[in-house]
């Protein structure tokens, strides 16, 4: 199976097969890395110091998502340790007025067919981040925590200070999934 770049691509692939399917990275060449385009991650400034901007993060929510994927709270709880020490990436560009802004997932395929990211690390999710599930009034349960954005290496903290709240996407690695043709949904199991 080829790597699919977005969760929508992965979903469309399984819909086109129109049959129940089980994927397991242990019996395949590798895991599937997908970008979630629906922009579930929210930056909110909390505290900072001279070197880092501490920011609140909202990663994603449990159960059925608008992209027709289902992630149970139990699956997300098992995956929690994989969030720690992960980089926060960003691609920053400057508009015609000289204002720095974030772009989306910027990458290209090199001559060997490998994906090359143009995003660079702008911070990290430290081990000290207290990841927690928060139920919102809309009935959805979100995974939230804190991140550290480095002030000295890019204009990322400047953008966050100016914009206050920003939505960006996250990337997940899927080791196991099932596709239900009846429900037309991807169940992300690991």
């Amino acid at each position: 199976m080829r790597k699919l770049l977005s969760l929508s691509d992965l979903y469309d692939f399984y819909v086109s097969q129109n049959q129940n399917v089980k994927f397991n990275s242990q019996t395949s060449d590798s895991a599937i890395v997908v970008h979630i385009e629906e922009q579930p991650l929210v930056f909110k400034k909390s505290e900072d110091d001279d070197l880092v901007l501490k920011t609140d993060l909202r990663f994603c929510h449990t159960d059925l998502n608008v992209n027709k994927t289902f992630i149970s709270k139990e699956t997300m709880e098992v995956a929690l340790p994989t969030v720690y020490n992960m980089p926060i990436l960003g691609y920053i560009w400057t508009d015609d007025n000289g204002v720095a802004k974030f772009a989306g997932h910027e990458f290209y395929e090199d001559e060997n067919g490998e994906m090359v990211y143009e995003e660079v690390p702008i911070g990290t999710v430290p081990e000290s981040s207290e990841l927690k599930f928060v139920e919102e009034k809309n009935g959805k349960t979100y995974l939230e925590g804190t991140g550290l954005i480095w002030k000295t290496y890019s204009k990322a903290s400047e953008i966050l200070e100016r914009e206050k709240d920003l939505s960006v996407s996250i990337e997940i690695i899927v080791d196991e999934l099932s596709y239900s043709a009846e429900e037309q949904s991807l169940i992300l199991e690991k």
Side-chain angles (χ1 to χ4, degrees), residues 1 28 30 44 53 63 66 69 84 91 96 100 108 116 118 127-128 136 172 174 187:
M1 176 184 297
S28 300
S30 65
K44 289 184 180 179
L53 172 71
D63 301 327
V66 295
T69 59
Y84 296 117
Y91 182 81
D96 293 339
Y108 62 92
V116 178
E118 293 186 299
E127 288 181 18
S128 61
E136 294 291 329
I172 61 173
V174 180
I187 297 108

Side-chain angles (χ1 to χ4, degrees), residues 36-42 58-59 167-170:
I36 301 177
E37 312 86 2
E38 282 71 22
Q39 305 182 352
L41 179 67
V42 177
R58 174 176 283 174
F59 297 95
S167 294
V168 297
S169 59
I170 64 170

Side-chain angles (χ1 to χ4, degrees), residues 7-69:
L7 201 49
S8 295
D9 290 337
L10 184 63
Y11 175 77
D12 291 343
F13 171 78
Y14 283 112
V15 168
S16 72
Q17 303 303 305
N18 197 30
Q19 61 183 344
N20 292 341
V21 177
K22 175 82 172 168
F23 169 83
N24 185 318
S25 65
Q26 298 298 317
T27 58
S28 300
D29 290 342
S30 65
I32 301 170
V33 178
V34 292
H35 296 284
I36 301 177
E37 312 86 2
E38 282 71 22
Q39 305 182 352
L41 179 67
V42 177
F43 287 105
K44 289 184 180 179
K45 179 187 175 201
S46 52
E47 300 171 21
D48 63 342
D49 62 29
D50 291 339
L51 299 175
V52 295
L53 172 71
K54 186 175 178 184
T55 186
D56 296 328
L57 304 171
R58 174 176 283 174
F59 297 95
C60 59
H61 68 80
T62 61
D63 301 327
L64 190 62
N65 288 271
V66 295
N67 56 27
K68 306 244 184 188
T69 59

Side-chain angles (χ1 to χ4, degrees), residues 99-161:
V99 178
K101 297 182 176 187
F102 286 117
H105 285 291
E106 302 298 323
F107 54 90
Y108 62 92
E109 197 172 298
D110 70 11
E111 63 278 353
N112 298 322
E114 297 291 322
M115 193 167 57
V116 178
Y117 290 90
E118 293 186 299
E119 302 154 305
V120 296
I122 59 169
T124 189
V125 179
E127 288 181 18
S128 61
S129 180
E130 294 183 25
L131 300 177
K132 60 187 173 205
F133 291 97
V134 177
E135 187 169 341
E136 294 291 329
K137 292 178 185 174
N138 63 8
K140 295 180 182 175
T141 301
Y142 290 88
L143 175 62
E144 296 184 355
T146 53
L148 301 177
I149 306 297
W150 304 310
K151 288 184 172 184
T152 55
Y153 301 108
S154 74
K155 297 206 179 264
S157 64
E158 173 187 312
I159 297 169
L160 289 170
E161 294 275 2

Side-chain angles (χ1 to χ4, degrees), residues 65-91:
N65 288 271
V66 295
N67 56 27
K68 306 244 184 188
T69 59
F70 182 91
I71 307 173
S72 71
K73 185 175 180 183
E74 294 77 19
T75 296
M76 211 177 283
E77 285 172 337
V78 170
L80 282 182
T82 67
V83 175
Y84 296 117
N85 299 316
M86 293 304 292
I88 298 171
L89 303 176
Y91 182 81

